[in-house]
Amino acid sequence: MKITLSVLKADIGSIGGHIKPSQALVDEVKNFVKENGKALIIDFYLSHTGDDIAILCTHERGVSDEKIHKMAWDAFLAGTEVAKKQGLYGAGQDLLKDSFSGNIKGMGPAVAEMEFEERPNEPFVFFAADKTDPGAYNLPFYLGFLDPMYCAGLILSPKMSDGFTFRIIDVGYTEKDKIIDLNAPEEIYDIAALLRDNERYVIESIYSRNTGNQAAAISTTRLHNIAGKYTGKDDPVALIRVQGEFPATGEVLAPFQIGHFVAGFMRGSHIGPLMPCKLKEVISFFDGPPIVTGAAFCVKDGKLTEPADVFDHPYWDHIRAKISEKATSIRQQGFSGPAMLPYSELEYGGIVEKMKKLDKKFQLRD
Ligand code: F6R
Ligand code: MG
Ligand code: MG
């Protein structure tokens, strides 16, 4: 059976600052999807990670389907009403347009979608990250799909012997989608040259070269490219099919032990290590640290199993403790140097005004 997996995610308000959405908001969105998705979707799973709420659904309508996107947009609007009633912080924050115009992409919420023929067994992982941006997935998915140091299957499994094609998007170019397809292993230096710049080049999708089948879909929205100014970090979601011709679940998870430094954290304006957390994790230290959660599923005829929480294991407690040390360490240098993002990536325009004022006060000495 050919199915589509769609995940649509937004920050539409949270409790106590950026901590987590309220139960009433989550219930409202869930009930909305249950009621209004009846004729459209086969199954769905509603989740939250930090201050973001995500609708993962299965259907047969293909990617970028207007009705699916409209249903999610309306669900987020309904949730926003509850957020407003409860006085939640940032109510409707990611809904950047006044009216729906055919596709939720470009309107604020993040989207990742994939259409494929179901395999006899179809495992996949749904990742959601908060207090960071889409480039946060560059390193883990680079390592998980093309580096045999992390992905043993590249050496051991004949089904993966041809490697993978990476579709990379230039998120700095706003006229149209500007994309490039590069093949691993032949072009890994080119892939690395692009992916080193997490704020400009982002993995959008990955394909098996053995079968041509799609393995990964990642949301690549940059909110500031929509609003013309910074309105919040882009808190990306990703769908990764695993096993068989794709990396094993554990191979995709392995690079998350690095806790690599990503953009985001407090006020979306700092650098912090990405911490793999349990499902429904909240935001805390310095409005962070940046977090990622993973829900693994199997799907049959579009019906989802219950999620398995991929980072809920004693191994990851140990990793979280190490990453906490990294977070503490970089926070000790406050605003200095690489701890805070460069001007182009700061979420606040105010500092530019401050610099203009200060510039006038400078004196030229002979
Ligand atoms: C990301 C996120 C942050 C905020 C940023 C600004 O989920 O919430 O990037 O957008 O901290 O917050 P406010 O609007 O409180 O200044
Ligand atoms: Mg937010
Ligand atoms: Mg968020």
Side-chain angles (χ1 to χ4, degrees), residues 9-11 18 49-53 93-94 129-132 233-235 283:
K9 182 240 68 164
D11 176 356
H18 296 283
T49 295
D51 59 11
D52 301 311
I53 180 159
Q93 161 184 304
D94 282 357
D130 191 31
K131 299 294 167 280
T132 186
K233 273 278 173 277
D234 309 289
D235 304 339
I283 291 305

Side-chain angles (χ1 to χ4, degrees), residues 9-12 72-81 90-98 104 107-109 223 226 231:
K9 182 240 68 164
D11 176 356
I12 49 173
W73 177 259
D74 289 343
F76 292 142
L77 282 180
T80 297
E81 283 314 305
Q93 161 184 304
D94 282 357
L95 309 184
L96 302 180
K97 302 276 157 119
D98 295 329
I104 211 169
M107 300 184 71
L223 295 175
I226 300 168
T231 53

